[in-house]
Amino acid sequence: MKLELVSLLLTSSLVIAGKCGTQTCGKDTPCCVKGYCNNNAMYCAPFSCEPENSFGTKSCWTTAHCVDSVADFTKPAGPHFAQIASYQGEPQTAAYVSQYEPSNAKLANEQLELSLVKQPDGKGFGAVVIGTRAIQYGTVTAVVKSGCKSGGVVSSMIIRNDKIGDEIDFEFVGADKSTVQSNYYWHNELDYTKMVKSHPLPDTTANYHTYQIVWSPDTIQWKVNDQLFRTVKRSDTWDAAKGVFKYPEAEAFISFSIWDGGSGAKGTSDWAGGPINWSASPFNLAVKSIAVNCYYKGNETTYKKHN
Ligand SMILES: *[C@@H]1O[C@H](CO)[C@@H](O)[C@H](O)[C@H]1NC(C)=O
Ligand SMILES: *[C@@H]1O[C@H](CO)[C@@H](O)[C@H](O)[C@H]1NC(C)=O
């Protein structure tokens, strides 16, 4: 024990190991995520790893910052997608990874497909595909067909910082195939009243549409097929009581997901139109391409306070 502790002190620049929930991450499983320690990409990649709770502050893999890119999933293989088990923390090998195991995301039918699969308990188990580079402001454009062919199924395109709880999103619900919903959150404040629906769209589960989020330091814009349907100004997010702009500004990761909203809490299930009618399956969220234009490029993308 004593020797172990000595070597621990010598090998880590940080002498106080962080608490990871009820665990303390050691050097063999140094990365903390939500109370669990491990040493693989699911735990160490910067989109989930908690530096302050890990073995050392440098245990989490380095955050790679935004570069302009187009991930074309019509191509069978390449540096645009990998399963997380094969990801080693080098974003040039995979711009996007399937975040969880078992993975229900794969390249098939000239697209990236995220599937919602029925489990023995009757609930759906979905998938999350997440970008391996962080973005702080920029434009994200994706060609997408929603997987929400039944009420209860939710598909989404999200720019989110999971630790701070800032988020900008598009969400599709099976209850409504003729619009997409836009929303944003600041510091995990669950204010659902900020949701705004798009203009009417031809069935989002039968057609590919181009969804775009234009995120700048002053405005967020949501567009579908080049048509702007919503603008949020940072100046309009001022909370006078708290003295803060409730505007997403933390660097974040781009993700796509499909999940079972129908077996969740009543409010969520009602919103999603649940429970799921499994006769309408398969439920596949299909992504043809994701284009990213960074506001700050390369190493310039770091967390900056905006005054
Ligand atoms: C469930 O989905 C099937 C296939 O789409 C459809 O025929 C059926 O009417 C649906 N059932 C309900 C209750 O909506
Ligand atoms: C980022 O920093 C690294 C290490 O200092 C350097 O090798 C790389 O060229 C930089 N990239 C950009 C885009 O500035």
Side-chain angles (χ1 to χ4, degrees):
M1 273 311 262
K2 248 183 180 166
L3 279 175
E4 180 69 16
L5 188 63
V6 168
S7 68
L8 189 150
L9 294 175
L10 290 174
T11 51
S12 171
S13 55
L14 188 82
V15 289
I16 306 154
K19 267 302 225 191
C20 178
T22 58
Q23 301 189 29
T24 302
C25 300
K27 65 177 190 297
D28 294 335
T29 54
C31 302
C32 175
V33 176
K34 298 186 170 153
Y36 295 92
C37 305
N38 218 316
N39 61 358
N40 56 40
M42 224 182 301
Y43 292 80
C44 296
F47 43 75
S48 47
C49 190
E50 300 161 17
E52 65 283 4
N53 300 331
S54 294
F55 173 66
T57 48
K58 291 183 177 162
S59 296
C60 297
W61 297 348
T62 311
T63 304
H65 301 297
C66 196
V67 294
D68 289 353
S69 65
V70 178
D72 179 357
F73 301 114
T74 66
K75 307 242 168 74
H80 45 286
F81 177 72
Q83 300 296 343
I84 199 154
S86 66
Y87 186 61
Q88 304 287 324
E90 289 163 9
Q92 67 275 16
T93 65
Y96 298 87
V97 294
S98 179
Q99 195 177 352
Y100 299 108
E101 298 276 333
S103 168
N104 287 330
K106 61 179 190 300
L107 293 173
N109 305 310
E110 301 198 319
Q111 58 198 0
L112 176 64
E113 290 187 353
L114 289 77
S115 305
L116 183 70
V117 178
K118 192 178 185 181
Q119 301 297 105
D121 66 2
K123 294 182 182 175
F125 185 76
V128 179
V129 166
I130 190 160
T132 53
R133 291 180 178 275
I135 178 171
Q136 187 190 25
Y137 310 125
T139 300
V140 180
T141 312
V143 178
V144 171
K145 189 171 74 176
S146 147
C148 305
K149 288 197 292 172
S150 156
V153 184
V154 183
S155 306
S156 57
M157 165 175 169
I158 293 177
I159 305 172
R160 177 173 171 85
N161 181 313
D162 203 36
K163 285 156 221 165
I164 291 176
D166 284 4
E167 173 173 329
I168 304 167
D169 68 38
F170 276 116
E171 288 191 300
F172 304 86
V173 291
D176 176 9
K177 298 173 193 168
S178 64
T179 65
V180 65
Q181 303 184 357
S182 67
N183 213 335
Y184 72 99
Y185 299 98
W186 179 84
H187 287 36
N188 278 327
E189 280 189 7
L190 293 180
D191 178 358
Y192 296 113
T193 63
K194 299 199 308 300
M195 188 272 279
V196 171
K197 289 186 183 180
S198 71
H199 48 278
L201 300 167
D203 190 338
T204 57
T205 68
N207 300 281
Y208 295 91
H209 296 297
T210 302
Y211 299 88
Q212 186 174 66
I213 294 169
V214 184
W215 177 31
S216 82
D218 301 309
T219 60
I220 306 166
Q221 297 183 319
W222 286 261
K223 299 179 188 179
V224 186
N225 301 332
D226 287 327
Q227 191 177 334
L228 176 69
F229 71 90
R230 183 183 193 184
T231 301
V232 168
K233 290 183 184 163
R234 181 173 183 273
S235 56
D236 292 340
T237 67
W238 176 248
D239 181 328
K242 290 198 173 148
V244 289
F245 288 99
K246 293 187 168 177
Y247 186 81
E249 58 186 10
E251 71 173 351
F253 291 90
I254 299 162
S255 69
F256 292 77
S257 60
I258 187 165
W259 51 282
D260 179 356
S263 60
K266 187 174 184 308
T268 305
S269 180
D270 288 350
W271 164 72
I276 290 174
N277 172 5
W278 288 98
S279 305
S281 64
F283 305 123
N284 295 323
L285 166 62
V287 186
K288 286 285 185 191
S289 62
I290 308 166
V292 176
N293 273 285
C294 319
Y295 186 88
Y296 300 122
K297 295 191 202 326
N299 297 354
E300 292 173 77
T301 306
T302 52
Y303 183 68
K304 293 181 181 71
K305 270 272 177 212
H306 186 90
N307 295 307

